[in-house]
Amino acid sequence: MPKLIAVDMDGTFLNDEKTYDHDRFNKLYAKMQAQGTRFVVASGNQYYQLKTFFNQPEVLFLSENGAYCGTADTKLFASTFTTENARKVLDALLTIPELKLSICGVNSAYIRESEGQVWINDTRKYYTHLAIVDNFDQLPDDEILKFAMGCPPEKTNAIMAQIAQATKGLAVPTSSGHGDIDVIQPGINKATGLKRLGDSLGIDLSEMCAFGDGGNDLEMLQEVGLGVAMQNASPQVSAIADDHTLDNNHAGVLAYLEKIFN
């Protein structure tokens, strides 16, 4: 019996309508609580956005690809860029014209008005705390967790390689697919976040089960005791998973958990 369940959200726990079967989950959650199993939301999305999906106070939120962790009302830990490195990474990213760029801080995410209303509206779906700025030289005092951006989907791999070269030694690009790219701190990912969280809870990675579908789930699925890929997962994720479940539109996470907590 896993002591901790970690779930990615988009393409994994959530269906394509960005929701899930609340009644079905609530029944499972009660069983997890009875067993003493912790439930962790492990996502690239913003902490404040993730909290809107759950009303159980014991749920833990590992957001921004492992850089920020908290409960419903308490910050547990954050891994942030130094001011100098954040500036260097930003300058490198601004040289790539295909990117639509957001800066993700502890207090808010920031996006330039010049990116256009369509991109701003799309970003707001994942960052409920979002400030619109004229330029990135006018940011309020905040600590930077990561950089999030979009690019033409067909250019994702090529731009990932370009970013990796431009930010070498300072940051690492990761993608959940479909033109979405996060640029995160070296050595920070969902697996390292789970390790840090597990250390505080007295739970080893080998005692965890995790679900995912995209490239930013790779480390997490590889490091936990049981890594489960969605049927809709990328080929790379499917190849490294210990097991597989139904796709996100058929509640693959809930179906798998029902087998564990029967």
Side-chain angles (χ1 to χ4, degrees):
M1 184 74 64
K3 293 184 178 180
L4 184 150
I5 302 294
V7 300
D8 172 53
M9 287 295 274
D10 298 303
T12 299
F13 190 76
L14 299 178
N15 58 34
D16 288 350
E17 299 300 317
K18 304 301 181 186
T19 188
Y20 64 94
D21 188 328
H22 288 254
D23 290 339
R24 193 174 175 186
F25 172 72
N26 288 340
K27 292 174 183 177
L28 272 167
Y29 189 77
K31 293 182 178 181
M32 285 187 270
Q33 287 285 96
Q35 294 285 346
T37 300
R38 302 304 303 265
F39 184 79
V40 180
V41 178
S43 171
N45 294 349
Q46 188 184 52
Y47 164 75
Y48 305 103
Q49 185 254 10
L50 296 176
K51 291 199 302 178
T52 66
F53 288 100
F54 300 91
N55 57 18
Q56 295 85 354
E58 302 86 359
V59 171
L60 295 160
F61 301 95
L62 184 64
S63 63
E64 309 285 14
N65 281 323
Y68 186 97
C69 186
T71 66
D73 55 12
T74 304
K75 171 185 170 182
L76 297 179
F77 62 80
S79 301
T80 59
F81 283 93
T82 65
T83 302
E84 180 183 4
N85 284 353
R87 184 72 244 183
K88 289 178 179 178
V89 171
L90 175 60
D91 288 344
L93 295 175
L94 289 174
T95 66
I96 304 175
E98 294 95 338
L99 294 179
K100 296 282 191 178
L101 181 61
S102 305
I103 298 178
C104 307
V106 169
N107 299 323
S108 177
Y110 306 92
I111 191 170
R112 292 175 298 181
E113 188 173 13
S114 59
E115 300 290 9
Q117 198 59 47
V118 172
W119 177 250
I120 291 172
N121 291 343
D122 189 55
T123 302
R124 205 177 292 278
K125 296 176 185 176
Y126 306 99
Y127 296 88
T128 54
H129 284 207
L130 180 66
I132 312 304
V133 298
D134 290 333
N135 60 70
F136 289 136
D137 292 325
Q138 299 177 337
L139 296 187
D141 186 25
D142 202 350
E143 295 177 286
I144 306 305
L145 296 161
K146 71 170 191 183
F147 300 82
M149 60 217 69
C151 70
E154 70 278 4
K155 294 185 178 181
T156 303
N157 290 337
I159 290 178
M160 285 264 290
Q162 188 177 357
I163 292 172
Q165 182 60 38
T167 63
K168 189 174 182 180
L170 298 171
V172 177
T174 184
S175 176
S176 57
H178 316 295
D180 296 323
I181 300 173
D182 281 350
V183 173
I184 59 180
Q185 302 157 77
I188 300 297
N189 52 56
K190 293 183 183 183
T192 60
L194 284 177
K195 172 68 166 61
R196 186 171 177 180
L197 176 60
D199 287 345
S200 69
L201 297 173
I203 301 174
D204 191 78
L205 284 170
S206 64
E207 300 173 301
M208 302 180 187
C209 171
F211 297 81
D213 73 302
N216 61 344
D217 300 315
L218 278 168
E219 296 92 350
M220 175 173 73
L221 267 60
Q222 286 175 314
E223 295 297 327
V224 298
L226 178 59
V228 184
M230 310 302 293
Q231 190 175 51
N232 53 288
S234 69
Q236 190 179 15
V237 171
S238 294
I240 59 90
D242 301 306
D243 207 351
H244 302 79
T245 189
L246 302 173
D247 66 68
N248 66 310
N249 286 321
H250 290 87
V253 171
L254 299 182
Y256 199 96
L257 292 178
E258 284 168 345
K259 296 178 182 177
I260 297 177
F261 300 96
N262 54 25

